[in-house]
Amino acid sequence: HKNIKTKLFNLYISQDYYNFFKKNSPRLISNIKTDSTIFTSALKNTLLLIAEITIALGILILLFFIELLLLIINFFIIVAGMFFFRLFSKKKAADLGRYRKVVEDEIFFHLNNGFKSIKEINVYNSNKYFEDTFDSANEKMFHIDRKFHIIQGIPRLFYEVLGVISLITLIVYMAIVNNNYESTIAFLAVSGAS
């Protein structure tokens, strides 16, 4: 994370004077602070996703050899859930991402203006205006982040609730239908793992 920020900063300051001042400095600050953080977070989440997919594949391979019907049911539930989640959240997540970038630029714009105008702010006693504009942009960012984290957590919550409901339903069904409790317990152990 630190190296990415340093490389971006070095890239910007090594540009010639004319090209540097053609660019919007709040945007450059945003690139260094925010975009590098987003990149690092995306990389971390990708590695976490790879780890979870590896675990899921291990469970699916186990189910393939032990209980093929349960594998097919799990596969259908996972694919259907991913399809519907993507269908309903893709546009919202993209809109939130674009709006987040605009608000992030607004925050840096207010920070930059406040820091550049510190003498005038003190002379004219206009602290309240700068505080209010920054606080307003910061409040927008808080709401965007909250919505994004909710959207990000929905798939895991959906699958966990669905898994618990399915397991409870399976336990009740097998307790009613099956008299062989040893096979029921073995089957439930595999189902619970999946």
Side-chain angles (χ1 to χ4, degrees):
H1 182 72
K2 179 183 171 282
N3 290 340
I4 294 170
K5 286 183 176 185
T6 302
K7 286 180 183 179
L8 262 177
F9 181 71
N10 289 340
L11 177 77
Y12 291 147
I13 63 171
S14 62
Q15 293 179 0
D16 64 85
Y17 185 79
Y18 178 74
N19 285 333
F20 180 79
F21 278 101
K22 281 194 324 186
K23 296 183 173 146
N24 184 356
S25 71
R27 178 74 183 127
L28 298 178
I29 294 170
S30 173
N31 286 348
I32 291 172
K33 287 197 55 86
T34 306
D35 292 353
S36 62
T37 303
I38 290 170
F39 174 77
T40 305
S41 177
L43 182 62
K44 182 181 83 170
N45 288 336
T46 301
L47 293 174
L48 181 64
L49 180 66
I50 290 170
E52 289 187 4
I53 286 174
T54 303
I55 292 169
L57 280 175
I59 291 171
L60 290 176
I61 290 169
L62 177 69
L63 285 176
F64 178 78
F65 291 113
I66 294 175
E67 188 62 47
L68 188 60
L69 178 63
L70 194 58
L71 170 69
I72 293 169
I73 291 170
N74 277 341
F75 185 75
F76 176 72
I77 290 171
I78 290 170
V79 169
M82 288 180 356
F83 172 76
F84 285 115
F85 178 74
R86 180 172 166 77
L87 183 72
F88 293 118
S89 68
K90 181 180 177 183
K91 184 179 181 334
K92 183 70 173 173
D95 290 344
L96 275 175
R98 281 190 290 276
Y99 185 55
R100 186 183 199 291
K101 192 66 176 158
V102 168
V103 172
E104 191 71 43
D105 287 346
E106 181 182 342
I107 286 172
F108 285 113
F109 176 77
H110 292 305
L111 284 172
N112 198 27
N113 281 347
F115 293 152
K116 283 182 178 179
S117 307
I118 194 74
K119 187 192 304 184
E120 291 83 6
I121 290 171
N122 290 327
V123 169
Y124 295 111
N125 198 21
S126 57
N127 293 39
K128 181 77 173 135
Y129 169 77
F130 283 92
E131 288 172 8
D132 289 345
T133 56
F134 178 76
D135 187 51
S136 172
N138 212 19
E139 184 71 21
K140 289 178 199 174
M141 183 60 69
F142 170 75
H143 290 294
I144 291 168
D145 284 344
R146 185 176 60 187
K147 289 177 185 176
F148 188 73
H149 288 298
I150 289 170
I151 289 174
Q152 206 173 22
I154 288 173
R156 180 174 223 124
L157 180 65
F158 169 76
Y159 287 123
E160 287 175 359
V161 168
L162 186 63
V164 169
I165 291 171
S166 299
L167 194 57
I168 291 170
T169 305
L170 194 59
I171 290 170
V172 170
Y173 173 76
M174 292 187 87
I176 293 170
V177 173
N178 197 354
N179 291 333
N180 185 356
Y181 293 111
E182 287 180 12
S183 66
T184 301
I185 291 172
F187 182 76
L188 289 176
V190 172
S191 299
S194 69

